[in-house]
Amino acid sequence: MTEQKKSGVVFHPDRPITTEEEDSLGFGIISDNLASSILNAGAREGFVIGIEGAWGCGKSSIVNLLCTKIEDKKKLSVVKFAPWIIGNRDNMLASLMADLSAAIEAVEGPQKKGELSTADKLRKYGALIGRVSSPLAALAAFAPGAEIPAKIVQEIAEKLSKADQTQPQPLVDMKEELTGALRKLGQTFVVVVDDIDRLEPAETVEIMRLIRAVGDFPNVIYVLCYDKDILTSSLESALKIKNGSSFLQKIVQASFAVPKPEEFDLRRWLNKECQRLYEIVTGETLSEEQADKLN
């Protein structure tokens, strides 16, 4: 797009749209269909949706429009999570749990004195997951079948033992309690995770494992945006596996590829931008004859 400035014509960098008024390529229809699917999903056992497409195809624009459509719906809360600006696994886990807990807290409201809220239960669960999974994550650095040094094995065993001894409540019991609380709450939380393909291979594995670990909570729907070729390549590189697509299928339950824009929409968009540029440069509008020639 172009814009008139005192210094002349300014070309805007490529950024995703945020409103339907900016939509020239039919992304609104796609976000409408996706919003309807989420509204009808229910997600009693949790659900993970993948939006696939190459960089620049419009995934972020679709997500922005989707969030606009569902943010004001009753019984729906949107949580936007950007792992690529956070960093390591522990920080990603802490940030995701904090964002989701805040959304739950906003819906749940204040609790009775001495009563643990659903948000607090999630924070406790997240803290436990962090302590238990941290030593296990060290094993991911080794290729399947590789000989792991005895010293590393001993260190991991000691960390797991210490983590287990400090917990007053087993992880399974804590998860069952949290699951019941989320069902009782009756609110669906849509967690949007964009730009997963910007992560380093090791970070990609961690965020996918994290989503898998907390992806089966009831009434929690994950919407993941990524370039499938880049994501599967990162998984193959980090995990030393041959088929990253098969690994991805174990996590993402439903996916769709962003369709290419219709040629008619592209021509109409180009025509509109050319007319706007002409008006900025000349200060005049195209005559009927000029418009016909442009068409």
Side-chain angles (χ1 to χ4, degrees):
M1 292 185 180
T2 54
E3 182 179 320
Q4 181 78 54
K5 294 284 185 181
K6 290 182 179 180
S7 57
V9 179
V10 175
F11 288 90
H12 288 282
D14 180 24
R15 289 201 177 104
I17 62 173
T18 57
T19 65
E20 289 198 32
E21 288 73 21
E22 301 172 272
D23 182 23
S24 299
L25 300 177
F27 292 143
I29 297 174
I30 299 173
S31 61
D32 279 337
N33 292 333
L34 185 54
S36 297
S37 299
I38 289 174
L39 290 169
N40 296 327
R44 291 292 297 169
E45 301 302 327
F47 205 74
V48 181
I49 300 171
I51 300 178
E52 302 176 349
W55 286 350
C57 74
K59 298 188 298 296
S60 296
S61 294
I62 292 172
V63 165
N64 288 342
L65 295 179
L66 169 68
C67 291
T68 300
K69 293 176 187 297
I70 64 177
E71 276 177 339
D72 60 346
K73 300 290 184 183
K74 291 182 179 180
K75 299 297 182 181
L76 271 178
S77 299
V78 177
V79 178
K80 296 180 180 178
F81 181 60
W84 60 275
I85 63 173
I86 297 169
N88 64 45
R89 182 198 62 84
D90 291 338
N91 288 341
M92 280 193 279
L93 173 61
S95 180
L96 176 58
M97 289 299 169
D99 291 347
L100 190 52
S101 296
I104 292 172
E105 211 161 39
V107 173
E108 194 172 27
Q111 298 294 297
K112 295 178 181 179
K113 188 175 181 180
E115 185 176 328
L116 201 62
S117 68
T118 306
D120 287 334
K121 290 175 182 177
L122 180 62
R123 292 188 186 101
K124 284 183 65 178
Y125 179 79
L128 177 57
I129 284 289
R131 284 195 290 271
V132 172
S133 63
S134 182
L136 291 176
L139 295 175
F142 296 92
E147 183 177 351
I148 304 174
K151 183 179 179 181
I152 298 294
V153 174
Q154 184 178 353
E155 288 178 359
I156 291 172
E158 289 175 356
K159 288 179 181 179
L160 286 172
S161 178
K162 290 179 181 178
D164 184 62
Q165 291 171 5
T166 57
Q167 296 309 314
Q169 184 180 18
L171 180 62
V172 174
D173 292 348
M174 190 180 291
K175 186 172 183 180
E176 286 183 359
E177 188 178 317
L178 178 57
T179 295
L182 285 169
R183 282 205 176 98
K184 186 178 179 181
L185 195 60
Q187 182 85 356
T188 298
F189 299 91
V190 182
V191 182
V192 177
V193 189
D194 199 0
D195 293 327
I196 294 179
D197 44 26
R198 289 195 189 188
L199 298 171
E200 295 295 326
E203 295 171 334
T204 299
V205 172
E206 294 302 343
I207 188 61
M208 299 309 292
R209 283 176 172 160
L210 176 57
I211 291 169
R212 188 175 185 182
V214 297
D216 59 347
F217 280 141
N219 300 324
V220 178
I221 298 176
Y222 286 85
V223 179
L224 313 181
C225 299
Y226 51 84
D227 182 316
K228 186 177 181 180
D229 291 339
I230 294 175
L231 181 57
T232 55
S233 177
S234 292
L235 292 171
E236 290 165 1
S237 173
L239 294 171
K240 311 300 181 186
I241 57 177
K242 293 183 179 180
N243 195 334
S245 182
S246 296
F247 182 92
L248 190 60
Q249 288 173 6
K250 296 177 181 178
I251 299 170
V252 178
Q253 294 152 294
S255 62
F256 75 93
V258 177
K260 291 182 179 180
E262 296 289 341
E263 290 185 10
F264 173 80
D265 287 330
L266 290 172
R267 287 197 297 269
R268 183 175 58 186
W269 187 24
L270 177 60
N271 188 305
K272 180 180 177 181
E273 290 301 315
C274 286
Q275 290 194 46
R276 183 180 301 176
L277 181 60
Y278 180 85
E279 291 173 6
I280 290 173
V281 173
T282 67
E284 301 175 354
T285 57
L286 286 175
S287 66
E288 185 175 342
E289 181 182 357
Q290 288 172 324
D292 288 339
K293 288 182 178 179
L294 177 59
N295 286 332

